[in-house]
Amino acid sequence: MAKVTVFGIGYLGATHAACMAELGHDVLGVDTDQSKLAKLVAGQVPFYEPGLEEVLQRNIAAGRLRFTSSYSEAAEFADIHFLGVGTPQKRGEYAADMKFVDSVIETLAPLLTRAAVIFGKSTVPVGTASRLGARARELAPAGDDVEVAWNPEFLREGFAVQDTLHPDRMVLGVDRDRPGRAEGLAREVYAQLLDEQIPFLVTDLATAELVKASANAFLATKISFINAIAEVCEASGADVKVLADAIGHDDRIGRKFLNAGIGFGGGCLPKDIRAFMARAGELGADQALTFLREVDNINMRRRTRMVELAREACGSLLGARVAVLGAAFKPDSDDVRDSPALNVAGQIQLQGASVNVFDPRAMENSRALFPTLSYSTTALEACEGADVVLVLTEWKEFKALKPADLDGVVRSKTLIDGRNCLDPDEWRAAGWTYRGLGRP
Ligand code: UDX
């Protein structure tokens, strides 16, 4: 079994660290954020991710998983280092902010006195790995014995453990100009996964970086494609959900990621397509990705459309009571980063409505981001006296709602389903005005 470190213990890093320990490796998680460290040391995951806490606790108890803020301890501990820090969008710019990634290399490399491999996992602009490799060799006492390889992560929030332990593919970018130990070590670390016949693609560094950017760009495009079609459906009286089912039967197209609604959000897709455009521009290939600007526009338009529908339903938003069910950017997550649901709630409130939000998991994060919205402790409470109920995140408990649950609670039996996750016939049969997005 290998000794490995994981730099960055956010979504990606904490999951990777816990899962590497689950594979039997000896793992040291490294971060400068003391409050995150304290939580993880105590066996608590600082965000909601089904199944992760169990994996974390089990491996801490087994002595395979520890955490530290000390880079020198990390450099001493292992010769395999994973880098999983964040690459957020720069303020006021499309490009990714590389300060966290750069700072790991600047701090860690000078401590590397033995041969070592740094496996980058963060989503980075193409060209980063090669740049970091040169910088690490320059700074490290071990010099050319330090390698940087790129091993992008494709995990989805809500399925992070499963996606890490049973990914549908693994990609490793290695420096073709200086063949080293990266591939061999990755094969050792991921031996169990390779035994499961999970496809393992070894590429050059740039390809590995681009695989990740392209995968996310494709997913975002697929969602915006169906949302663009939803606009045409709205204009023509067609039904986007039936349409998606129909085109989805063509397995070249596939039904997944064709759910029309208020669009994509979260900590990845929005910022990743923007960073991708910015990087293509720097490389002189900006024309290639101008369509992503449209993908972004279509996506943002869905939020505005949802606000319009709410306004139509209420006559005027001024003084209206609006119930918002869902704040997280998707179900089974407490993540509200760039959440379409919260964004819509905020816009509606700015237009003078009183907005009551309920989300099964994301209340604390929502309050921190949008302290001026009202928050309820149950879905029913959020719907009390509502002129319109908006379903903005397709949590199971919202999908299970029955018209009878809300009949006596709301002021007006009007529901707008921003995720097309409820059965229109059932609600209409019970006397409700039901509206979906891109549906008659
Ligand atoms: C995404 C990628 O899926 C993952 O591979 C990558 O590593 C990180 O980014 P994640 O951000 O967890 O993962 O969310 P994802 O499940 O992709 O959903 C993104 C957004 O798209 C959500 O807001 C979701 O509600 C929305 N979505 C998804 C749709 O609007 N329609 C769909 O059909 C699918």
Side-chain angles (χ1 to χ4, degrees):
M1 287 295 131
K3 281 184 157 190
V4 311
T5 71
V6 180
F7 287 82
I9 50 171
Y11 231 106
L12 165 58
T15 308
H16 192 69
C19 289
M20 290 305 102
E22 183 75 1
L23 291 176
H25 303 305
D26 233 338
V27 183
L28 187 60
V30 192
D31 206 296
T32 48
D33 184 330
Q34 292 295 344
S35 74
K36 265 191 212 163
L37 284 170
K39 278 202 168 156
L40 287 167
V41 166
Q44 291 164 9
V45 177
F47 46 86
Y48 176 66
E49 179 60 44
L52 182 54
E53 203 145 271
E54 290 82 335
V55 178
L56 179 79
Q57 290 170 357
R58 183 160 59 237
N59 286 286
I60 292 176
R64 283 189 298 262
L65 179 55
R66 292 185 302 114
F67 296 93
T68 184
S69 59
S70 161
Y71 274 56
S72 32
E73 185 185 350
E76 186 50 43
F77 177 75
D79 301 318
I80 300 175
H81 304 286
F82 288 99
L83 190 162
V85 293
T87 51
Q89 188 177 339
K90 276 191 192 162
R91 258 177 203 284
E93 270 181 66
Y94 270 13
D97 192 337
M98 300 306 293
K99 69 178 174 214
F100 301 115
V101 171
D102 288 343
S103 129
V104 171
I105 298 296
E106 296 291 323
T107 319
L108 173 64
L111 303 169
L112 298 176
T113 51
R114 307 180 303 256
V117 180
I118 301 171
F119 291 97
K121 296 206 70 71
S122 313
T123 303
V124 294
V126 57
T128 300
S130 151
R131 173 175 69 79
L132 296 180
R135 185 69 182 141
R137 291 191 298 274
E138 186 179 300
L139 292 173
D144 286 355
D145 287 338
V146 174
E147 289 170 53
V148 171
W150 221 258
N151 174 215
E153 180 58 61
F154 304 102
L155 68 80
R156 296 160 299 166
E157 295 184 16
F159 301 90
V161 172
Q162 190 201 323
D163 285 354
T164 306
L165 291 176
H166 310 280
D168 43 24
R169 82 296 207 184
M170 290 183 284
V171 174
L172 179 70
V174 296
D175 192 340
R176 297 289 195 204
D177 295 335
R178 12 183 119 250
R181 301 189 306 149
E183 182 180 345
L185 289 177
R187 286 186 183 277
E188 278 175 35
V189 170
Y190 295 130
Q192 261 187 58
L193 281 62
L194 293 170
D195 283 348
E196 277 180 35
Q197 311 300 326
I198 291 168
F200 182 56
L201 292 94
V202 180
T203 72
D204 56 89
L205 292 172
T207 303
E209 293 165 319
L210 273 181
V211 166
K212 172 69 198 212
S214 322
N216 276 357
F218 191 86
L219 293 172
T221 304
K222 209 171 171 190
I223 301 169
S224 277
F225 172 82
I226 201 65
N227 280 330
I229 300 297
E231 292 185 3
V232 182
C233 286
E234 274 157 27
S236 60
D239 186 332
V240 74
K241 195 163 180 178
V242 179
L243 181 150
D245 290 342
I247 63 174
H249 280 297
D250 182 334
D251 59 12
R252 291 169 305 174
I253 297 175
R255 180 61 178 83
K256 288 180 187 162
F257 268 66
L258 282 184
N259 294 323
I262 56 171
F264 60 82
C268 293
L269 298 191
K271 72 142 172 94
D272 286 352
I273 60 170
R274 292 170 194 156
F276 199 15
M277 284 186 263
R279 184 61 184 144
E282 287 169 9
L283 294 169
D286 41 351
Q287 267 192 330
L289 298 186
T290 45
F291 76 95
L292 286 179
R293 195 174 300 262
E294 199 48 41
V295 165
D296 204 353
N297 283 334
I298 294 166
N299 190 52
M300 299 310 273
R301 237 174 16 237
R302 299 319 283 166
R303 304 178 182 188
T304 323
R305 176 74 184 139
M306 187 70 203
V307 177
E308 264 169 35
L309 287 176
R311 190 189 312 114
E312 272 172 31
C314 297
S316 157
L317 285 174
L318 203 62
R321 282 180 75 99
V322 178
V324 166
L325 302 186
F329 84 107
K330 68 173 192 183
D332 293 318
S333 167
D334 65 356
D335 197 342
V336 295
R337 286 176 292 172
D338 204 348
S339 165
L342 260 195
N343 183 294
V344 165
Q347 286 191 48
I348 289 178
Q349 190 199 34
L350 285 176
Q351 299 196 19
S354 119
V355 180
N356 276 306
V357 181
F358 173 71
D359 187 283
R361 293 281 173 176
M363 300 298 269
E364 204 180 311
N365 288 340
S366 303
R367 254 196 213 101
L369 199 65
F370 272 97
T372 55
L373 294 168
S374 302
Y375 293 94
S376 302
T377 49
T378 63
L380 290 193
E381 189 188 313
C383 293
E384 262 167 37
D387 295 302
V388 62
V389 176
L390 312 182
V391 178
L392 300 184
T393 311
E394 68 277 37
W395 283 95
K396 226 188 198 158
E397 80 161 82
F398 302 152
K399 293 200 277 189
L401 279 175
K402 298 284 162 213
D405 299 331
L406 299 183
D407 273 348
V409 178
V410 296
R411 184 149 69 192
S412 161
K413 294 206 248 178
T414 309
L415 185 140
I416 310 178
D417 183 355
R419 292 293 183 182
N420 291 332
C421 62
L422 296 168
D423 177 5
D425 295 339
E426 183 185 2
W427 288 80
R428 286 181 184 139
W432 281 68
T433 304
Y434 170 98
R435 289 214 60 177
L437 265 67
R439 312 190 74 185

